[in-house]
Amino acid sequence: MGRDVVQGAFSREDRVRYRQKVRRCLDVFALMLDDFGFDADRPMTGLEIELNLVDSAAEPAMRNEEILADIADPLFQTELGQFNLELNAEPRLIEGAGFANYEHDLRSSLSRAEERAAKSDVKIVLVGILPTLTEGHLVEDNLSTNERYRVLNDQIVGARGEDIELDIRGVEQLRTHTDSIAPEAACTSLQFHLQVAPDSFADYWNASQAIAGVQVAVGANSPFLYGRQLWAETRIALFEQATDTRPDELKAQGVRPRVWFGERWITSIFDLFEENVRYFPPLLPICEDEDPVEVLHAGGVPKLGELRLHNGTVYRWNRPVYDIMNGRPHLRVENRVLPAGPTVVDMLANAAFYFGLARGLAEADRPIWSQLTFSSAEENFHAAARRGLDAVLHWPGVGDVPVTKLVLEQLLPTAAAGLDGFGVVPEQRDRLLGIIEQRCRTGRNGAVWQTEAVWAAEHHRGMDRDAALHHMVQRYAELQRSNEPVHTWPVD
């Protein structure tokens, strides 16, 4: 939800009017899908990276407003916590040297931001969950000052009607309560956007769902929360629980969670928007002046503001997006499963793997979703979040298989073919997919490096857990700036 919100209290009339307007938008969207000209000639891509700010002691620095003012770059924005920023890369094609251009631009933007932040003795860390966060950091007072975050917090906590329970059981166990959505600020992600045509959207979304578990296993980078080692990608469990509007009784009734994997393969993007309207009450019932029916009949492009706002408060791991650029509407898959970091080149390797694999499977003669049950895809997703590169996933034709073997023997060639379909130059294709290959061969991604580095600090340097985590984050921040892929990082 990237728009400003100034209203804090909503009346019954607001909610009724908003619900009617959302349904009106949905009807117009259905008409547009039938015969409107969506922009899909040359599929653009996009990246969003959420960042952590830390001080010289590797503690979270609650100073995003100050740092953002110093950076003075519209590509950087606030995020939920005062120790967060978000970097939005300029959308582009990945054909030719598109990935090299991404790398140059991202490194340049981060370098400029780091120079400005350093004047305030602050560093930028790209990681799925900042390991030095404590419960004392993740409180309502440390939400960003933008009013939209406060309103969203009030609506989620109000809908639940009681404290939010966090219960994550991994290598160690965490069980605690929170009275706000502030713990969700710990989840700093890497998000990919892929523009697709209306008639192929379902194929790309289904493919993205099918490979979500593989992505998480290979890219996991969030093993610690509140000083405990939990899942390889703890961010998945934390995000699902920290924004859950359902008390136990609604969970028992099977009410869908707002952070949602979904429950079925789709045949159209309309399926997803229709489910959002049918299953989820509005959190932010804010109406705009536009009448989408009148705009459509006048030959214009409806903004569908209420539908888009509602869609932004349903946190699908692969989210459908309707947007307008240069006066033309388009559709995107927003892939939200991965953590930030460890380096720019690691994130671009994850991007190449996702874009290539999604295309390779979406355009395959026999769709993967005709062979894999949806429940198996969801089970793969959570198994991968728990165990990372040690996960065993279920895959058509091979049954239960170690994820590293699956990637090396089947999925990397498919991803390479998909990147060829986008027109990516072979040098970039091989360099980035080679990083994914080496993670699988060495058994080391960001989560593995973090846990090994903490173990080494505890056992070789005699540090307690808290000191080991701070030491690891300091070392992580140094190595991150080298832009060498994480599988090559020394542990001790």
Side-chain angles (χ1 to χ4, degrees), residues 29 32-33 35-45 91-93 194-201 269 301 321-333:
F29 186 56
M32 294 178 69
L33 290 173
D35 58 8
F36 208 89
F38 284 84
D39 188 4
D41 298 334
R42 303 182 73 198
M44 300 288 283
T45 66
R92 70 198 68 201
L93 301 170
L194 179 58
Q195 184 178 330
V196 294
D199 58 0
S200 60
F201 184 94
I269 186 175
V301 180
V321 175
Y322 166 85
D323 207 351
I324 302 169
M325 184 177 293
N326 299 323
R328 293 192 64 186
H330 68 263
L331 305 177
R332 303 194 304 266
V333 178

Side-chain angles (χ1 to χ4, degrees), residues 109-328:
S109 292
L110 286 168
S111 178
R112 288 195 302 272
E114 287 169 342
E115 288 176 6
R116 302 292 176 87
K119 295 178 181 179
S120 301
D121 203 20
V122 170
K123 297 178 183 178
I124 293 174
V125 177
L126 306 168
V127 65
I129 293 177
L130 182 62
T132 54
L133 285 167
T134 67
E135 291 187 67
H137 295 127
L138 296 175
V139 295
E140 186 175 351
D141 285 347
N142 287 334
L143 294 178
S144 289
T145 57
N146 190 311
E147 185 64 19
R148 73 175 185 257
Y149 301 120
R150 308 282 172 170
V151 174
L152 185 64
N153 175 75
D154 292 345
Q155 294 301 304
I156 289 177
V157 173
R160 185 180 176 94
E162 59 188 43
D163 282 359
I164 297 170
E165 181 181 24
L166 303 179
D167 186 358
I168 306 174
R169 307 178 188 193
V171 176
E172 297 167 356
Q173 181 176 350
L174 172 68
R175 189 168 186 181
T176 187
H177 291 79
T178 175
D179 61 0
S180 77
I181 64 169
E184 194 270 311
C187 304
T188 37
S189 66
L190 168 65
Q191 298 166 20
F192 304 135
H193 291 256
L194 179 58
Q195 184 178 330
V196 294
D199 58 0
S200 60
F201 184 94
D203 293 343
Y204 276 87
W205 188 85
N206 288 341
S208 298
Q209 291 286 101
I211 63 175
V214 178
Q215 286 183 266
V216 168
V218 172
N221 194 30
S222 312
F224 292 102
L225 176 63
Y226 294 167
R228 294 175 177 82
Q229 182 182 347
L230 301 170
W231 294 10
E233 190 48 42
T234 305
R235 193 184 110 267
I236 300 298
L238 179 58
F239 191 36
E240 289 178 340
Q241 295 181 23
T243 54
D244 197 344
T245 58
R246 306 167 302 162
D248 290 343
E249 293 81 2
L250 292 185
K251 293 178 187 178
Q253 294 173 35
V255 172
R256 281 93 175 162
R258 292 196 91 97
V259 178
W260 197 29
F261 190 81
E263 59 193 18
R264 61 183 176 119
W265 306 118
I266 64 169
T267 58
S268 167
I269 186 175
F270 185 81
D271 295 346
L272 301 177
F273 280 100
E274 192 273 336
E275 284 181 347
N276 288 354
V277 173
R278 178 154 42 105
Y279 294 145
F280 298 99
L283 284 180
L284 301 169
I286 302 168
C287 288
E288 299 187 1
D289 294 334
E290 178 190 77
D291 184 332
V293 175
E294 290 184 0
V295 173
L296 185 64
H297 287 167
V301 180
K303 294 180 181 178
L304 307 182
E306 293 81 7
L307 186 65
R308 292 162 69 184
L309 177 58
H310 186 60
N311 184 56
T313 62
V314 179
Y315 304 99
R316 294 179 183 269
W317 292 109
N318 284 292
R319 176 188 279 164
V321 175
Y322 166 85
D323 207 351
I324 302 169
M325 184 177 293
N326 299 323
R328 293 192 64 186

Side-chain angles (χ1 to χ4, degrees), residues 10-26:
F10 302 107
S11 67
R12 296 177 182 178
E13 292 77 12
D14 290 333
R15 296 184 183 280
V16 171
R17 184 167 59 252
Y18 182 81
R19 180 176 288 109
Q20 293 170 345
K21 193 74 179 292
V22 166
R23 290 174 177 167
R24 190 170 179 85
C25 288
L26 187 64

Side-chain angles (χ1 to χ4, degrees), residues 381-402:
F381 179 62
H382 286 101
R386 286 178 179 274
R387 299 186 57 80
L389 285 171
D390 290 331
V392 174
L393 307 185
H394 184 80
W395 200 255
V398 292
D400 293 338
V401 57

